[in-house]
Amino acid sequence: MFRTSFKTAAAVIALALPAVSPAGAAAPEEKVLNIFNWSDYIAPDTIANFEKATGIKVNYDVFDSNEVLEAKLLAGQSGYDLVVPTASFLERQIKAGVFQTLDKTALTNYANLDPAIVARIAKHDPENARAMPYTWGTIGIGYNPDKIKERLGTDTITSWDVLFKPEISAKLKDCGIAILDSPSEVMAIALNYAGLDPNSEKKEDLDAGKAVLQGLRPNVKYFHSSQYINDLANGSVCVAVGYNGDMLQARNRAAEAKNGVPVRYSIPSEGTLMWFDVMAIPNDARHPQNAHAFLNYLLQPDVIAAVTNTVNFANANKAATALVNEAVRTDPGIYPSDAVREKLFAQKSHTVKFDRLLTRAWTELKTGR
Amino acid sequence: MSGGDHTAAQAAPGQGVASRPGPGPAVSWLGQRLRLRVPKGLGRGVVSGIPLGWLLVFFLLPFAVVLKISLADTAIAMPPYTALLDWDGEAVATLQLNFGKYLFLLEDTLYLAAYAGSLKVAAVSTLFCLLIGYPMALFIARQPAERRPLWLALVILPFWTSLLLRVYAWIGLLQHNGVINNILISLGIIDQPLVMMQTDFAVYLGVVYTYLPFMVLPLYATLEKLDDTLLEAAADLGSAPWKAFLTVTLPLSRPGMVAGSMLVFIPAVGEFVIPALMGGPDTLMIGRVLWDEFFNNRDWPMASAVAVVMMVVLVIPVMLLRNGQNKTAEHG
């Protein structure tokens, strides 16, 4: 019976039909806006205040990795009107034709943005045509100063040496080293440390970067993109490479738990990767006008300052800096000094060919093959 | 192949009987026809149509789509692969099949190692499930009938909680400052925490724990139906209990062992969540490689090729098991 039905069914395989995309309508929009943002990435009352002010009902969904967002966007018909990719990912998504051009006349508060940051983002988004800067940050070292002091004799980390010099990282192995599971970002940092162009796509540079990471590999406890937040806060790891806001979140969690675990964040002196999260509207969005209204709302200094106070990531709104809590505004891990900013570099998107080499090298590194 | 002929041969005499005009009045003949033919044909159609439709819609169609994507090439576009069929709008249609992804699968040892890694984890876990699940199933089957539902409920109980929550519960037990380490340290048995998370041990533990019920339930169903008098006969003829178990119970429970092993082995090969959350960075499994291809490399054709080959890798051992089972059925 099994075989019979299998044979019959196999004879009528149909191939997938190409998706049909509905034409965008210029008619007045229904009062709905579908937003897809990172988890824990907005102030508690941002959405409620917007709904109250405009009468637009917001459906708010969250994701936790650029890769997941990108897979949805490239599949098409995601159903979202506003999404928040990182600029290096946005660059390739623009090439794939995912996003529509922003209507700057609808963004009356656009002049509040910091021109220096807008200029940096233009390298990913030509003429800043399709993306509005939201927040930005760095990838650095989060650590437990007590445990570092026991092992290294100092409670401050200022250099990537603690990880990339195997003789130093070996001393930290027993208290736990966690590394961000993000091949492109960690490799860029290793290349920069080795004195190479962090955006290089040369095979020999990749090998050099891999060699730097291979020295660290035996001392790494795990590679993961968010687990370190909890583990730093509860003392399961003592050093983690990850996003600055996450490290501050770990510090706050430890303080809430009153477990006496201290957490600090350091931007190493050799410099590190600076990333920008931006907001953009997919071509097939059904409520582009509402999306523009929300973008313009976020451009208000008081609105975006409240976001920064909640998420501990700097925003790109120059007019908002004065409204940010002093503790956040003066934290060098969130708003680094100009001298430190000089050392930060941005990441370009890679070719498919290089992505494959990189993922391959990363798998080899992780599995120790 | 022979199955099809068999079904057809069965259907023919049935029709012959029903269509033969009976000696009685026409009305009774019609009633007979209605009663016999309509429900029979319809019922058979519905009964075989449901699994057929299910197979078509939820297995073959998605598989055809995956196969199609695996033969395309990567592109920076929406969706991120090339079309197989190019039609210039008038007369010329070009079909372009790209087998490069499959060739690359063979060239690069990473994929081979990942398939081997997954098969190893699945095989070892299946063995442990069998070793742990068999005594459990036997124990439940030998309980008085009124107590069996309680024991079975205890086996099924973990399913009432989401898999993700149960995995996180294990993390809470096993981690560096988790429950187990804290208890052992406070009892003075160890003075340094044991490293249990992010190891192969944690992966095996997670997989065996998760899939154990799939082994116990089919084993129980087989063992419960075993004829106790066979064991009595063995005892009467002077067989020791362990020998009776080895020569009577064990061979007769083989269908349950095969079914349970398949239910554990197949999903364990493609397992992604448990190795991702509990395994170490050196745990190389095909689920992880597939994720990397799809999300990190944005190479949907490659990810699809990995999935197609995984199906083939899975179908072969299942076929072998099925054959083994058919042979037992024939001999038994």
Side-chain angles (χ1 to χ4, degrees), chain A residues 6-259:
Chain A
F6 197 88
K7 217 166 75 179
T8 323
V12 270
I13 295 177
L15 284 176
L17 297 165
V20 182
S21 48
E29 280 171 14
E30 50 173 345
K31 294 245 170 196
V32 174
L33 176 62
N34 301 315
I35 300 179
F36 201 33
N37 194 2
W38 293 81
S39 50
D40 302 316
Y41 214 40
I42 202 153
D45 56 357
T46 311
I47 299 292
N49 290 345
F50 175 73
E51 287 182 329
K52 217 182 292 168
T54 59
I56 294 171
K57 164 91 179 68
V58 175
N59 298 314
Y60 188 81
D61 279 352
V62 298
F63 58 89
D64 67 352
S65 85
N66 268 307
E67 286 79 11
V68 170
L69 169 65
E70 182 160 288
K72 280 206 185 209
L73 290 173
L74 292 181
Q77 299 297 318
S78 66
Y80 294 109
D81 303 310
L82 197 60
V83 297
V84 193
T86 301
S88 52
F89 282 78
L90 169 102
E91 189 179 330
R92 183 176 34 235
Q93 289 154 10
I94 289 177
K95 283 184 196 147
V98 173
F99 296 116
Q100 55 179 271
T101 310
L102 293 180
D103 177 8
K104 294 274 174 65
T105 58
L107 304 178
T108 52
N109 301 322
Y110 199 81
N112 289 336
L113 291 173
D114 183 341
I117 292 174
V118 170
R120 282 190 187 237
I121 292 174
K123 289 181 184 158
H124 304 284
D125 171 25
E127 293 168 23
N128 297 98
R130 289 177 168 82
M132 188 201 85
Y134 182 54
T135 53
W136 64 274
T138 49
I139 293 177
I141 304 176
Y143 61 100
N144 180 327
D146 294 356
K147 291 195 176 171
I148 301 298
K149 183 153 196 183
E150 280 170 25
R151 288 162 181 82
L152 302 181
T154 168
D155 64 355
T156 324
I157 288 180
T158 56
S159 163
W160 286 112
D161 285 347
V162 290
L163 294 172
F164 295 146
K165 284 214 158 94
E167 64 274 17
I168 306 183
S169 59
K171 291 183 192 161
L172 302 173
K173 182 183 181 178
D174 71 306
C175 66
I177 298 176
I179 304 293
L180 198 64
D181 193 4
S182 170
S184 59
E185 291 169 326
V186 176
M187 186 59 77
I189 288 169
L191 287 174
N192 183 62
Y193 175 80
L196 299 164
D197 171 11
N199 286 309
S200 168
E201 296 208 342
K202 286 188 205 141
K203 178 81 175 74
E204 60 266 30
D205 287 358
L206 181 66
D207 289 342
K210 191 180 165 195
V212 168
L213 294 170
Q214 244 154 0
L216 164 65
R217 174 65 188 88
N219 304 322
V220 173
K221 188 172 180 191
Y222 62 78
F223 294 81
H224 199 280
S225 293
S226 58
Q227 180 66 33
Y228 62 86
I229 306 176
N230 262 332
D231 287 353
L232 266 182
N234 67 26
S236 290
V237 302
C238 64
V239 180
V241 173
Y243 304 109
N244 56 334
D246 286 354
M247 305 304 178
L248 302 166
Q249 208 181 331
R251 181 189 67 194
N252 296 347
R253 277 190 203 177
E256 278 165 25
K258 296 196 176 65
N259 60 6

Side-chain angles (χ1 to χ4, degrees), chain B residues 118-139:
Chain B
S118 282
L119 289 175
K120 185 185 140 210
V121 169
V124 172
S125 305
T126 307
L127 187 70
F128 273 99
C129 279
L130 193 58
L131 290 177
I132 301 167
Y134 200 99
M136 282 170 75
L138 196 62
F139 171 80

